[in-house]
Amino acid sequence: MIDGNLFAAIRGPIMLITIGTLFALDHQGIMGFDRTWPLLIVVFGVMKLLERVAGGTQPYPPYPPPPPPYAGTNAGTGAQR
């Protein structure tokens, strides 16, 4: 299976390729950019979805482990504080 970090790494280049393709279509007169720009949102959403499905980075870091419980005794003597 592909790592989610790979999708995060290639998201920028994929978006640049998509923008370049849309501008080329606009320049050639095939289809105007004003009609094709929503494709950028779709491509970005698909890349985020693939990143999440592939198990990429977590949205929040995991919680730290709890501290050890306080015993209330002096170390080694067994006497109460």
Side-chain angles (χ1 to χ4, degrees):
M1 182 169 221
I2 298 177
D3 186 23
N5 293 328
L6 174 67
F7 288 115
I10 65 172
R11 184 180 338 130
I14 294 290
M15 294 300 289
L16 286 176
I17 291 169
T18 304
I19 290 171
T21 303
L22 295 180
F23 278 130
L25 290 172
D26 183 47
H27 183 71
Q28 295 294 322
I30 297 172
M31 189 174 281
F33 187 76
D34 59 333
R35 295 184 52 107
T36 58
W37 69 265
L39 185 62
L40 293 172
I41 298 171
V42 171
V43 169
F44 183 78
V46 167
M47 293 301 296
K48 289 298 283 183
L49 180 65
L50 290 174
E51 181 182 333
R52 182 64 62 104
V53 168
T57 57
Q58 296 179 353
Y60 302 105
Y63 289 112
Y70 177 67
T73 60
N74 289 334
T77 61
Q80 295 286 340
R81 287 189 171 193

